[in-house]
Every structure is written in structure tokens, then in C-alpha cells.
Amino acid sequence: MKRIFTNEFKRFLPVYLIILSLVILLGTSYALLRDSKTGTKSYTMNVAGLEITFKDKSSIDVLSLENAVPISDEEGIEGSSELVFTIKNTGNVKASYDIYIEETSTNPEFKSVIRYIDKKGTGEYTTPKTLGDNKYIDQNGTIDVNGEIEYRVKCWLDESADNTYMNQTFKARIVVDAKQFVMKKNEIISKVSDTINDSDGIKFYKVSGTHNGNGLFVLKGTESDEHPIYFYRGNVDNNNVYFAESCWKIVRTTETGGTKLVYNGAATIVDGEKQCNQTTGTGTQLSVRTKAFNSSYNSPAYVGYSLPESSKIYPYSTQTLNSTTYYGSSVDQATKRLVDPVLELNDTHHYSYNSTDPDATGISGDTGNVRYYFYKNSESGTSGRGYFIKFDKTKSVSTILDEMLTESNSKNNPSTIQGVINTWWGIGDNSLNSKYGEYLEDTEWCNDRSVASLGGWSPTGTLYSSNLEDYSIVFNEKVRYDQSTYGSDANNIKNTNTPVLSCSRPVDRLTVANGNLTYPIGLLTYDEVAMAGAIWSNENSDFYLKFYLYTNQSYWLLSPARFSGYADVVGTVTNVGYLKFYSVYSDDQGVRPALSLKNGTQILRGEGTKTKPYIITED
């Protein structure tokens, strides 16, 4: 991405090297890397979304001014040739950059006797300046998407220069610092460790640590992708960002080259500079806490971050079982009668009209709706209580599950927690969204509701067992990591040892474009937190050096766990640093929103540390 451009001025004019220097997201400083080829005839380059074009291709062939002689400002202004170039923003966000002259001659005193003038766009030439007084042609310049700005520069040896400068060679370059916030395969320079680490050796079913991943990694299998997935893991402290009036932690890059961040609280001001020193406590969460992921819990639909319309949410009811009610293995859609009616609710007879008549057809009264039982709280007989949902007799339980878990969910019915985040980000004329929404990419937020086991929701499923999972709907996210139930060590995580970042079902891919989000903001998933260093029900705190998402607090993630009469969302990171799940109406979970910055978003300054975070926006 580095190129050298040169231009031969007339007899008194030095030559400039143009070097586009990309600000590396994970680096600690700007890098000006030189191309050793000096004879290039190229005159247009596009780096980091800024296209630099020289007016005169034929003049790009020498690097130095030799045998320079002093001249007056009048002679310099009138007689010197112009170096003319344009900068065009071909990226997808407003760009920021610096342009300055950097003298590279061996004689360090040249900067005191080099005079120059410059002109930007249609403006007038500046008053002649000495290089030693002000090296900037344009400092903190900005350019809109598709915008184009022309620059003209003239330069000469000041008439006050004594004979020691006569007939010497002067060298300089114009440096264009394109201040971009990007993570791409060939542009990451690891300042965290000597190299970008290979994730092949990480055991994701074990906590992070010195011997199981600590630093910056590239995800196995993505190394050759256009946008490899880079992620932080373990006890790292150089992934701090200040953006949209708050501090954030970098989690990973996205499949489209964006950079996913998670909220980390308010900044502190030290000596006039913003710092991101918050690591634990409620200050790492939104000050507006929610008492629930969803305020209702009695339907499988409530594991959703966006919900289906109200008519497609089927809350359950309970009743005391008795020995006179008939239950069927299904409902005959032609006759509307129960199939094979029996007087005992069991693992093969889940349907009922709550009737003592085995030939009931659901034509009148309470028998107008089918009752479908998914759980009873006794092992045998008709004793105990039955848990059921009611729906029209023309439907089946598979249809109902499709309505709750498969049909498209709408932004018009957000979950409780999404409503909290939407209010924080988008409410008001001077909202965060109005000021910073242009920086966000509409990445997919995976609310993975794919089912691993239907339990009692299968017409032949278990209605009761001492093992809660036998009669619950179990979602795939929980299967991937729950060692206590589904195996351990290398047999876990679907036997692949690979976090799942893709979303297999299109309906679970939440975006603004898909119509199921109001703003492109969500929560981290179970897999993303596992990549960072947590596992199911095993501590990752002091003993393991902690990991950067540990806050000594519990907070919500986006991943469903199960429905067992209560909708449970998996992935709250507990105060001892492990993954767990809670009922969606749990009243003790914090909110840490996540968002993804577009590939190409500006970075103004910073090193990623707590005391010098990457500054993306000024307030």
C-alpha cells in the first residue's frame, strides 16, 4: 500500500516523494514505509480510499534538486514550477488526512532556508512560509465521499541562504497521512506481539490464558479470505476505542472488513485527553439497565431479539391434570377429531380438546382450540400439572413453531433489551444515531434460533424427565458449548473446535436492510465471547489472568439457550467470568451494546491502550 511519487521542478525547485501512510488499527504509531523504486511512471494511486493523481505524468522521474541557488520570494512565486496533484475520496466514509513536507536531506539546516507556498482547491496561494516554521500544507483535512481537492505547491531556496547551501542537493517529500480505521489481511502490523497469532492451536473449549491464547489471532480457515477474521483473546489491553462519546473494546473484524466493538462505559478526562480506564463494575454497561431481555418468558418466541407479531407468539398456560380428559397422538385435519384418544397424557399423546369426549371435534366452547402439551411436572399417571399452548385446530405444532421461530421478525416488535438499546442510540434530534450513524456498517447480528432438540415439542417427545433438557427445546448455541450436558473437551463445540460466526438461517440474520432492526446495533454472541476466552460454567477470572470481556458483572448476550417453560438466553458473562444462561426476564443483567464500524472509518489518533485509546470521533 506504500508508494513513492516524485516530481522534477525547474532549476531551483526540489523534488517531493509522496508516501501514503495508512494508520494501522492495531499499531501504536503511524508508519511511513518507503518504496525503494524511484523510477516509477505511475501518477495515480489509490490507497485507503484516497486516490492521489499527479497532473504531469512525464515529470515523475527524479528525486532531488541539485546545484540549488538562492532566489527571492518574488522570483520563487513567479518563476517556480508548480507541483499539482489532486486527492479524491473513493471510499465509503468521510476521510481525514494530513499533508506535510518532510525534509530528508543530510544537511539538517535546510529546513531553515527552504521557502514554499501552497494553494488548496480554488483558494489563493498562501503567504510564503519557511519549512522550519510550518511543515503542514493541510492539517486535519477532511474530504467527503466522492469529493476531490486539488493542491498546488511551489518551493525555492530562500535568498537569505548563505554560500554553505550553494550547489548542494536538497531532498524532501510530501507525506499524506490517510487516517483510516481498517483491518485487512495485508495491513495489520502486530504491536501486541511479534506476529499475528495462528488460532489453530487454541482449544476453544478451555479458557484463554498464557498457554491457550492470549493476544491477537487470525481465525483458522479465513486466512486467505478477502477480509480475514482477526480477533482478540485473553488478557489484552490494547484494543480500546473512543467513539460516539463512549469507550469500547475491539472484539473482532467482520466478514466485510468492518470492526466490531462492544460498549465499555464512559471515558475519563486526564490532562484534557480521553482515557478508557474502566475495566470492571457497572460503569462498563449502559447506565440505563434493563431488568429483562424480554419482559415475558412463557413462549419460545421470547428468545428473540426481534419478535414476531403478537398473534404469532403463543404463551403457555397450565392446568391440573385429571383422569377424565382425552389426549390424542394428533388431530385429524379432515374430521378435526383426536387421533387414537387415550385418558393419559404421555410421550406420544400431546394433543387435547380438554374434553371428556373422545370424539370431540372442537366445534364449540373451549374446545374451539387445540391444546398441545409440551411438559408435565410428574413422571407418571394423570397427577401433576400440564403445560400447554392453544392454537387453531387447523394448525399443527410444527406450524406454530415456524410462526414463533422461523417466520420473519419485525423491527416493529423489538425485544425489551433491544428497546433499551434503541432508546439509548436513536432517540431525539441530537441522538447518537444522528451524529454517528454514518460510521456503522449494517452487519448481520445472529440471533441463532435453530433447534438442536425439540424435546416435548415433538409429538413423540419426552414430556417429563429428571433431565431438564429431555423435554426442553434446545437451541444450537447451547449445544455448541454446554460441556455439562453435551460432552467435554475436544468433543464439544460440535466436534469442530471452531466458533461459529455465520448464521445458518436467513431469518436469524438481523439487519436494518432485512427489516428486523431499527439501528444496526446488537449484542455479542456466545461464540464471540468464547473466542475472547470464556467457556461454559468454568471460571475465567483472577486465576487465569482474566480476559478482556470480564467485568465482574453479568450482562446479556444474543444467543438463545432453551425453552423449558421459561425462555432462556444463553451467554450472560457472569461475575466470575464464565458463560451461563438465565431466563429472559432475569432482573440482574447489564447491557453492553455492540456495533460494527465500516471498513474505512477514520481514526484520528491513539494507540489502543487505556490511556491512549484509538480516537474515532471528537465530541
Side-chain angles (χ1 to χ4, degrees), residues 17-228:
L17 301 176
I18 307 294
I19 300 179
L20 264 68
S21 170
L22 185 64
V23 176
I24 305 301
L25 171 61
L26 300 177
T28 58
S29 64
Y30 293 19
L32 297 180
L33 304 180
R34 290 136 175 96
D35 190 328
S36 61
K37 298 178 181 179
T38 60
T40 177
K41 293 293 185 180
S42 298
Y43 73 106
T44 298
M45 292 292 168
N46 192 318
V47 181
L50 293 183
E51 182 180 86
I52 314 300
T53 302
F54 281 86
K55 182 178 180 180
D56 187 359
K57 174 180 176 180
S58 64
S59 65
I60 306 174
D61 54 5
V62 295
L63 296 175
S64 63
L65 169 67
E66 297 181 353
N67 301 319
V69 296
I71 58 174
S72 67
D73 284 350
E74 291 77 10
E75 290 176 295
I77 294 170
E78 295 297 329
S80 298
S81 296
E82 291 181 318
L83 173 63
V84 181
F85 61 96
T86 60
I87 296 180
K88 183 177 181 179
N89 184 0
T90 60
N92 57 7
V93 294
K94 187 176 183 178
S96 177
Y97 57 90
D98 294 337
I99 305 176
Y100 59 90
I101 300 174
E102 182 177 87
E103 184 264 326
T104 61
S105 299
T106 57
N107 186 336
E109 300 303 321
F110 256 127
K111 63 183 179 183
S112 66
V113 293
I114 295 298
R115 301 278 282 172
Y116 74 97
I117 57 174
D118 61 79
K119 181 168 71 172
K120 176 182 177 181
T122 59
E124 298 296 325
Y125 274 108
T126 60
T127 301
K129 295 173 283 189
T130 300
L131 181 58
D133 296 334
N134 182 4
K135 66 179 181 180
Y136 284 97
I137 294 174
D138 201 349
Q139 189 172 15
N140 293 321
T142 59
I143 183 170
D144 292 330
V145 175
N146 296 321
E148 184 172 330
I149 302 174
E150 180 185 77
Y151 289 88
R152 295 173 177 263
V153 182
K154 292 185 176 185
C155 188
W156 60 93
L157 187 61
D158 186 42
E159 63 181 347
S160 65
D162 59 36
N163 290 337
T164 60
Y165 300 100
M166 291 289 291
N167 300 318
Q168 289 197 37
T169 297
F170 170 77
K171 292 184 179 181
R173 60 172 165 255
I174 292 178
V175 180
V176 179
D177 280 342
K179 296 189 279 189
Q180 301 290 327
F181 188 88
V182 296
M183 296 182 84
K184 291 184 180 180
K185 177 180 178 182
N186 297 322
E187 295 168 356
I188 288 189
I189 298 176
S190 174
K191 302 291 183 173
V192 182
S193 57
D194 292 337
T195 61
I196 302 291
N197 300 289
D198 188 342
S199 67
D200 193 29
I202 293 178
K203 297 179 175 65
F204 288 105
Y205 49 84
K206 295 183 180 296
V207 296
S208 61
T210 305
H211 302 294
N212 193 36
N214 200 74
L216 174 68
F217 296 83
V218 59
L219 186 62
K220 181 182 178 182
T222 71
E223 300 93 333
S224 300
D225 293 352
E226 179 182 1
H227 299 289

Side-chain angles (χ1 to χ4, degrees), residues 425-446:
W425 181 258
I427 296 298
D429 294 336
N430 195 35
S431 67
L432 293 173
N433 184 67
S434 65
K435 292 186 285 186
Y436 308 108
E438 65 179 309
Y439 292 86
L440 306 190
E441 71 166 350
D442 192 18
T443 193
E444 292 179 354
W445 300 92
C446 186

Side-chain angles (χ1 to χ4, degrees), residues 168-386:
Q168 289 197 37
T169 297
F170 170 77
K171 292 184 179 181
R173 60 172 165 255
I174 292 178
V175 180
V176 179
D177 280 342
K179 296 189 279 189
Q180 301 290 327
F181 188 88
V182 296
M183 296 182 84
K184 291 184 180 180
K185 177 180 178 182
N186 297 322
E187 295 168 356
I188 288 189
I189 298 176
S190 174
K191 302 291 183 173
V192 182
S193 57
D194 292 337
T195 61
I196 302 291
N197 300 289
D198 188 342
S199 67
D200 193 29
I202 293 178
K203 297 179 175 65
F204 288 105
Y205 49 84
K206 295 183 180 296
V207 296
S208 61
T210 305
H211 302 294
N212 193 36
N214 200 74
L216 174 68
F217 296 83
V218 59
L219 186 62
K220 181 182 178 182
T222 71
E223 300 93 333
S224 300
D225 293 352
E226 179 182 1
H227 299 289
I229 302 299
Y230 296 98
F231 64 95
Y232 280 99
R233 180 174 172 86
N235 188 30
V236 296
D237 62 1
N238 62 343
N239 58 340
N240 296 279
V241 168
Y242 181 82
F243 168 70
E245 304 171 18
S246 299
C247 289
W248 305 76
K249 292 282 189 180
I250 304 169
V251 177
R252 69 174 181 97
T253 57
T254 67
E255 295 77 359
T256 52
T259 306
K260 184 170 285 191
L261 313 177
V262 64
Y263 182 84
N264 199 48
T268 56
I269 307 299
V270 179
D271 295 330
E273 291 294 328
K274 299 177 182 69
Q275 296 188 3
C276 293
N277 297 310
Q278 188 77 252
T279 57
T280 58
T282 57
T284 59
Q285 305 162 178
L286 290 188
S287 58
V288 179
R289 291 172 59 86
T290 181
K291 292 185 178 181
F293 188 95
N294 269 305
S295 57
S296 297
Y297 62 86
N298 56 353
S299 167
Y302 289 123
V303 300
Y305 187 69
S306 293
L307 301 172
E309 61 184 68
S310 298
S311 65
K312 295 181 178 179
I313 297 175
Y314 294 84
Y316 74 80
S317 301
T318 65
Q319 76 172 99
T320 300
L321 300 175
N322 60 66
S323 60
T324 61
T325 298
Y326 281 91
Y327 307 92
S329 59
S330 62
V331 173
D332 187 307
Q333 290 301 301
T335 65
K336 303 299 183 278
R337 290 185 171 88
L338 299 178
V339 175
D340 186 25
V342 297
L343 287 171
E344 180 181 345
L345 180 62
N346 58 52
D347 290 348
T348 58
H349 290 72
H350 294 240
Y351 293 85
S352 173
Y353 283 118
N354 196 35
S355 172
T356 59
D357 179 5
D359 294 322
T361 59
I363 295 175
S364 63
D366 188 45
T367 59
N369 286 315
V370 175
R371 294 187 176 198
Y372 182 88
Y373 292 80
F374 63 90
Y375 170 58
K376 67 175 183 177
N377 65 358
S378 177
E379 289 190 20
S380 61
T382 57
S383 61
R385 297 184 66 79

Side-chain angles (χ1 to χ4, degrees), residues 549-586:
L549 290 178
Y550 169 83
T551 64
N552 197 34
Q553 299 292 310
S554 297
Y555 53 90
W556 290 111
L557 301 182
L558 191 58
S559 304
R562 67 186 181 192
F563 179 80
S564 57
Y566 294 82
D568 295 328
V569 171
V570 70
T572 55
V573 179
T574 70
N575 56 2
V576 290
Y578 61 70
L579 293 163
K580 198 175 177 182
F581 60 83
Y582 293 91
S583 175
V584 294
Y585 79 104
S586 174

